[in-house]
Amino acid sequence: MKSKNKNTNQVSIFNPKYWINSFRIIQNRWRGITLDGSVRIDENVRISLTSPFYKSKKGSVTINKGSLLSNGFICDCYGGNVSIGEDTFIGPNVVIYGHGNVTIGN
């Protein structure tokens, strides 16, 4: 009998999607965003610590383990704080502005 892998969310290191997601995590960490290595980031996700339109103070973004950021997700801090809890799903085309500090999940 073949044993089945119970965790179907794991992506093999031989899959190109694994390396693309790893690159997105490194790229966002380089920008100053705090996120766990188990976060999955789809295409066309934009996370910004400041406003893309005018100068503002730098905010902060924290994304905890197991979260999934779907295609088209936009997060602009506008100088506030955005915190996404563990195992949180952010659906397609969701927009979050962190003016007054936003917490989603635990």
Side-chain angles (χ1 to χ4, degrees):
M1 293 183 108
K2 291 183 181 179
S3 63
K4 292 185 178 181
N5 185 0
K6 292 181 182 180
N7 189 355
T8 58
N9 291 334
Q10 266 187 329
V11 178
S12 169
I13 63 169
F14 300 108
N15 187 334
K17 288 182 179 182
Y18 171 84
W19 296 107
I20 292 169
N21 190 65
S22 296
F23 173 74
R24 291 178 183 145
I25 288 172
I26 292 167
Q27 185 180 39
N28 281 296
R29 283 181 179 164
W30 181 77
R31 292 180 181 150
I33 296 159
T34 305
L35 53 110
D36 188 79
S38 65
V39 172
R40 286 186 35 214
I41 304 173
D42 282 350
E43 297 177 29
N44 303 319
V45 171
R46 184 182 80 204
I47 303 171
S48 176
L49 298 177
T50 60
S51 168
F53 306 111
Y54 60 91
K55 287 188 176 183
S56 66
K57 67 177 187 171
K58 215 176 213 186
S60 70
V61 177
T62 303
I63 304 170
N64 291 305
K65 69 178 182 177
S67 295
L68 169 61
L69 310 178
S70 295
N71 189 23
F73 170 63
I74 298 173
C75 177
D76 291 330
C77 285
Y78 289 99
N81 302 312
V82 175
S83 177
I84 299 174
E86 294 180 10
D87 301 317
T88 303
F89 171 75
I90 304 294
N93 303 314
V94 170
V95 178
I96 298 174
Y97 295 126
H99 295 129
N101 301 328
V102 177
T103 301
I104 299 173
N106 54 1

